[in-house]
Amino acid sequence: MSYRPEHKIQTRARIVEAARRLFNRHGFEQVTIDQIMADAGLTRGAFYHHFESKDQLYAAAVSSFTTCNPFASAAQDIDDPLRLARMLIDLYLSDEVLENIDMHCPLYALPSDVARAGLAPQQAYTDLIRGMSHVYRSALTGVRDADRRAQTMVSLCVGGMVLARTTNDPALRRSLRASARHQALSLLKVH
């Protein structure tokens, strides 16, 4: 029985989505190929029709965040770079995103795992950093230190979420994210 090309694309997407969710919840080392395939509703044998290794799948899962996250859907209708940058900061540091583990960005959900991973996952992670920086950089056209500001905003957003995820103190969680948001938004102001 042969499948249409779109079936293979859809199946691969199911595997990547299952992997992304499970990696976010449990980390790279704790998740097996069998768990991923069961979550995707497929057999282990199907895995090797789409990926050569778990590392390759991990890289695909990290990369998939650019299209499967709340930021991508919210950004579709925004053509003003400054408005888009502000929206990204607000949404990234929101209660909604913090509370939805399945939608956590790999930049704050998986940094330790990626640091120990192979080159492909590290490249996917690097691409996410560059993509987020680009959004902020685009909002700072004509600003002399735009690259530094954009990277600082990425650091504030990711760092604010990393720290917020690690504490069990709700007030501290809010305060850390509010402080990061305030500083990131202040960097968008052109003096």
Side-chain angles (χ1 to χ4, degrees):
M1 176 178 183
S2 65
Y3 293 105
R4 294 189 322 255
E6 48 284 348
H7 180 268
K8 185 172 183 172
I9 292 168
Q10 291 168 349
T11 301
R12 186 179 195 283
R14 279 178 35 209
I15 297 168
V16 169
E17 177 60 18
R20 190 191 58 71
R21 281 193 320 271
L22 290 171
F23 290 146
N24 269 2
R25 291 179 194 167
H26 308 291
F28 177 75
E29 292 296 328
Q30 306 308 316
V31 176
T32 66
I33 291 171
D34 289 335
Q35 289 171 317
I36 293 166
M37 297 309 286
D39 191 75
L42 300 163
T43 64
R44 182 183 177 95
F47 175 83
Y48 295 101
H49 291 288
H50 300 277
F51 300 97
E52 294 177 17
S53 67
K54 185 177 165 187
D55 279 357
Q56 187 183 48
L57 173 58
Y58 192 44
V62 170
S63 294
S64 75
F65 190 74
T66 60
T67 58
C68 71
N69 64 68
F71 316 113
S73 58
Q76 288 177 346
D77 298 326
I78 300 175
D79 58 358
D80 174 24
L82 184 58
R83 191 167 151 236
L84 179 62
R86 286 182 180 138
M87 184 273 308
L88 178 58
I89 292 167
D90 287 339
L91 188 56
Y92 202 90
L93 293 163
S94 70
D95 291 337
E96 171 191 355
V97 170
L98 179 68
E99 293 166 8
N100 187 346
I101 292 172
D102 289 343
M103 293 309 298
H104 281 184
C105 174
L107 294 179
Y108 61 82
L110 306 170
S112 295
D113 282 355
V114 172
R116 292 186 296 267
L119 293 177
Q122 289 175 357
Q123 183 59 55
Y125 199 83
T126 299
D127 292 343
L128 282 178
I129 293 169
R130 287 186 176 135
M132 193 171 178
S133 293
H134 176 75
V135 170
Y136 297 141
R137 174 69 181 89
S138 296
L140 296 167
T141 303
V143 175
R144 189 171 40 94
D145 62 344
D147 290 330
R148 180 189 58 78
R149 285 184 188 209
Q151 289 177 3
T152 301
M153 285 184 264
V154 170
S155 299
L156 286 163
C157 289
V158 172
M161 288 299 273
V162 167
L163 294 174
R165 288 184 67 213
T166 62
T167 181
N168 63 354
D169 179 340
L172 184 56
R173 283 180 146 192
R174 280 189 302 278
S175 177
L176 288 165
R177 289 179 296 125
S179 296
R181 180 184 177 279
H182 174 78
Q183 291 302 317
L185 289 173
S186 73
L187 289 167
L188 285 175
K189 295 178 183 165
V190 180
H191 301 289

